[in-house]
Structures are given as structure tokens and as C-alpha cells.
């Protein structure tokens, strides 16, 4: 690694700034607990539609306990086993199809995603055309658009999309957003939409969730102070990707997304004195610890926590698991 200064045991010193909060949010905890509780109550197999949360380590751990992951319901045979919908939410067609097949469906959609679904439905009932700010192809976006008939929701991904958008009637327009976006990018898009369509109806409370907001805020505090920022998370995790972008924008010249310690490309680190670490909302703390140990094997590490917010959000288990738990 070519570090010049040496500390104890001949290893170079490294200051690690740990972002707080980081890692699991209340929606992810609830989704993972749902699968674990279902396995405990009903035994394997428990079917899960889509990765319950976007993290390979979590998915592999649940597979080892008897969870079976599928992308679509038609991959599931006729069964009385539970079928769990992931934290990202599903289009209305999915619970409808599960109902037609009499599947025992349990919905682990994060309540903060469900809140956006309900907002979109209310706008639609009030005759408003809806703009969804989000990323095409992400399961949450597919789920939110799928709450309403085709054509009711228009997806806007970028400022250019917002500039080009032509509503049916600018007087009856509303917007909702994906929960895990960049706060700053979204704010720019919202400013442009409000300039172009002053009557556009906004969410009562920001759709970007508390976990996304707090993790981005902690990264903004740490990024300007470190040579490298590691974001522990999966490439398909929206909130993890945003944390990497936020770090770069906040002045960190080298931000990397890493799934676990084995993925670290040590050759790319060069001489560093300081390192920031955060984790996306779907990344377990054990992976953060693993990465700190990997650095401690190469550097004399001193760890400091940089806190941006306290979190005490808790969501009860989905109906169906709650009742079973209470009956015990
Ligand atoms: S990141 Fe936010 S919306 Fe997504 S599961 Fe966590 S709390 Fe819910």
C-alpha cells in the first residue's frame, strides 16, 4: 500500500470515521424479521418474492434457514407455505394474483413505501395526474407505479425529464417520490417542477424516508474529512448507491461501494491517512465490522464515530405474523 508513516507494529496509522446512523433501518429489520418469524412459525420453505432486501449476505443467510427466493409468483408451486413480498413493495397485481391462487401472502413492504402508495391513490382519486420521481426499473418504482392503472403515473428520473414533461393539465398535478433518492438531486427536480407547474401538489411530509435522510447527512459530515469513503452495500441497493454519490459530491475524491471485505481492491487505496465508513440501509453491521478488521490487519486503526442523528423508529411485524406472535 506504500503508506509512509508507521505506527505500532510497523503498520501505518489510519483514522476511521464511522458514520452514524448507518446500516439497517426499521423497514429492513421488519422485513428480515418477517422471514425469520415465518420460518419459525411455519417451518421451511418460506417463499420470498424478490430479494427481501438488497443484500447478498442477508439473502444467503435466509436461504440457509429455508427461505426460497423467486422473482415472480408463477415460480411458486401450489403450496400452503407463506409467501412474503419484499420491503420494496409490489404492484397491486401481485397480491391479486396471490389471492386468486389462495397463497398465504405476507406483505413485508416497508410502511414508509406503503405511505407513498396511499398518497398516489389519494391523488388519483382526486383526479390528479401523478409524477413519480425515481429510478426506472427499481422494484419500489415498479410497485408504486403498479398501484394505479397504466398512464396514471409518469416517471421522472432527471432534471431533463422534468424540463421536458408535458402534463395533461398543469392545474391537476401532484408528485410523489421513491423513498431512497438523493435529497439534493430530488430537491433540484422539485424546484424545477414547482417553477413550471406552481399548482403541483407536494407530499404532506417528504417521501424520502428518515433512514435515507439521516444516512446521507452523516456521509456529508464525514466525506470532506477523509481520503476514501467506503459504502458497505449492494450495487442494486438504491440508497447505497446514493450514499456513494453524496460522498463524492461532499468532497471525497474516492468513494467506493463494497459488498464485503473480500471485495476491497487494496491496490486502489494508495497512501491514505483517513477513511470514512458507512453502510446502506440493507447492509448488516457484521459486514462493517469485517471491513474494520480488514483495515486493522494493515493499519494501526483509531475509530471515531460521527453522528448526524439518533434513530428509534420501530415497525411492528406484518399482520398475519403479529397475530400468530400474540397468540403464542
Ligand atoms: S430505506 Fe426507508 S423506505 Fe426503505 S425500508 Fe428502510 S425505512 Fe423503509
Amino acid at each position: 500500500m506504500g503508506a509512509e508513516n508507521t505506527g505500532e507494529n510497523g503498520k501505518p496509522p489510519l483514522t476511521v470515521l464511522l458514520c452514524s446512523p448507518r446500516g439497517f433501518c426499521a423497514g429492513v429489520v421488519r422485513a428480515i424479521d418477517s422471514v425469520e418469524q415465518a420460518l419459525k412459525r411455519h417451518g421451511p420453505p418460506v417463499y420470498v418474492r424478490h430479494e427481501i432486501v438488497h443484500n447478498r449476505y442477508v439473502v444467503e443467510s435466509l436461504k440457509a434457514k429455508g427461505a426460497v427466493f423467486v422473482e415472480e409468483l408463477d415460480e411458486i408451486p401450489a403450496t400452503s407455505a407463506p409467501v412474503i413480498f419484499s420491503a420494496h413493495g409490489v404492484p397491486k397485481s401481485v397480491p391479486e394474483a396471490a389471492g386468486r391462487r389462495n397463497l398465504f401472502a405476507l406483505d413485508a413492504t416497508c410502511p414508509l413505501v406503503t405511505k407513498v402508495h396511499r398518497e398516489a391513490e389519494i391523488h388519483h382519486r382526486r383526479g390528479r395526474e401523478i409524477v413519480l420521481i425515481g429510478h426506472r426499473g427499481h422494484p419500489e418504482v415498479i410497485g408504486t407505479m403498479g398501484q394505479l392503472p397504466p398512464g396514471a403515473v409518469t416517471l421522472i428520473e432527471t432534471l431533463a425529464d422534468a424540463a421536458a414533461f408535458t402534463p395533461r393539465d398543469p392545474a391537476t398535478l401532484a408528485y410523489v417520490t421513491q423513498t431512497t433518492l438523493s435529497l439534493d438531486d430530488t430537491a433540484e427536480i422539485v424546484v424545477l417542477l414547482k417553477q413550471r407547474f406552481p399548482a403541483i401538489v407536494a407530499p404532506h411530509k417528504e417521501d424520502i424516508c428518515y433512514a435515507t435522510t439521516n444516512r446521507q447527512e452523516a456521509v456529508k459530515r464525514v466525506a470532506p474529512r477523509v481520503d476514501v469513503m467506503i459504502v458497505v452495500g449492494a450495487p442494486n441497493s438504491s440508497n447505497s448507491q446514493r450514499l456513494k454519490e453524496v460522498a463524492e459530491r461532499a468532497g471525497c475524491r474516492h468513494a467506493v461501494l463494497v459488498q464485503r471485505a473480500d471485495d476491497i481492491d487494496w491496490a486502489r487505496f494508495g497512501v491514505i491517512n483517513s477513511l470514512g465508513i458507512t453502510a446502506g440501509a440493507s447492509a448488516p453491521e457484521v459486514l462493517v465490522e469485517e471491513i474494520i478488521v480488514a483495515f486493522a490487519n494493515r493499519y494501526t486503526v483509531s475509530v471515531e464515530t460521527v453522528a448526524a442523528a439518533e434513530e428509534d423508529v420501530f415497525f411492528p411485524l406484518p399482520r398475519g405474523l403479529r397475530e400468530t406472535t400474540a397468540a403464542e
Side-chain angles (χ1 to χ4, degrees):
M1 276 175 302
E4 285 147 358
N5 302 323
T6 53
E8 276 170 44
N9 310 321
K11 295 184 206 167
L14 180 70
T15 302
V16 174
L17 300 186
L18 262 184
C19 295
S20 174
R22 64 180 175 278
F24 279 4
C25 60
V28 161
V29 168
R30 174 179 183 267
I32 296 169
D33 282 355
S34 298
V35 180
E36 288 188 333
Q37 278 297 328
L39 282 163
K40 204 166 129 198
R41 311 276 166 202
H42 303 282
V46 164
Y47 292 94
V48 184
R49 185 188 176 279
H50 194 68
E51 289 187 344
I52 185 77
V53 300
H54 285 154
N55 189 275
R56 195 172 59 195
Y57 178 91
V58 170
V59 167
E60 292 303 324
S61 314
L62 292 172
K63 264 190 200 169
K65 294 178 188 172
V68 176
F69 289 86
V70 298
E71 276 311 305
E72 295 300 339
L73 295 186
D74 56 19
E75 296 165 48
I76 302 173
T79 179
S80 59
V83 177
I84 300 184
F85 305 147
S86 79
H88 314 96
V90 289
K92 277 224 163 110
S93 55
V94 171
E96 285 166 4
R100 281 197 299 277
R101 289 186 54 193
N102 285 322
L103 293 174
F104 172 24
L106 295 165
D107 189 357
T109 302
C110 176
L112 299 181
V113 174
T114 304
K115 170 186 148 283
V116 178
H117 291 179
R118 296 292 86 80
E119 277 170 22
E121 276 182 327
I122 291 168
H123 290 314
H124 186 64
R125 271 208 303 274
R126 293 186 179 162
R128 296 177 186 138
E129 182 180 357
I130 298 158
V131 168
L132 168 63
I133 305 172
H135 295 288
R136 188 177 304 281
H138 189 278
E140 183 185 325
V141 164
I142 294 168
T144 301
M145 295 187 81
Q147 299 305 304
L148 295 172
V153 182
T154 302
L155 180 65
I156 283 189
E157 294 189 89
T158 60
L159 267 177
D161 290 348
F165 173 60
T166 309
R168 286 192 290 271
D169 175 5
T172 55
L173 199 56
Y175 76 86
V176 295
T177 83
Q178 195 177 334
T179 56
T180 51
L181 299 179
S182 150
L183 284 157
D184 297 336
D185 289 351
T186 309
E188 285 178 12
I189 292 174
V190 167
V191 165
L192 181 58
L193 287 173
K194 284 183 174 167
Q195 271 169 6
R196 294 193 61 213
F197 314 112
I200 194 166
V201 177
H204 286 303
K205 191 175 171 299
E206 204 44 67
D207 290 333
I208 296 176
C209 76
Y210 79 97
T212 300
T213 305
N214 293 343
R215 280 151 192 69
Q216 289 182 17
E217 181 54 36
V219 164
K220 281 185 194 170
R221 293 186 191 191
V222 166
R225 296 175 55 192
V226 292
D227 298 322
V228 177
M229 173 72 82
I230 287 185
V231 178
V232 185
N236 59 345
S237 158
S238 169
N239 79 88
S240 304
Q241 289 286 3
R242 304 294 83 75
L243 291 175
K244 177 175 174 286
E245 292 165 8
V246 167
E248 285 162 348
R249 287 217 196 148
C252 182
R253 59 188 159 82
H254 185 189
V256 283
L257 191 62
V258 161
Q259 301 218 56
R260 46 189 318 174
D262 283 350
D263 299 342
I264 296 174
D265 180 357
W266 296 101
R268 288 196 61 207
F269 275 82
V271 179
I272 63 166
N273 298 309
S274 54
L275 170 74
I277 303 182
T278 187
S282 42
E285 184 65 8
V286 64
L287 301 182
V288 172
E289 287 162 8
E290 184 185 276
I291 285 168
I292 294 174
V293 168
F295 275 91
N297 288 335
R298 292 165 173 82
Y299 293 86
T300 302
V301 163
S302 60
V303 179
E304 184 191 322
T305 298
V306 177
E310 292 286 323
E311 289 182 349
D312 58 1
V313 179
F314 167 78
F315 297 130
L317 286 172
R319 253 201 298 274
L321 288 171
R322 238 182 288 167
E323 286 143 20
T324 320
T325 308
E328 246 192 8

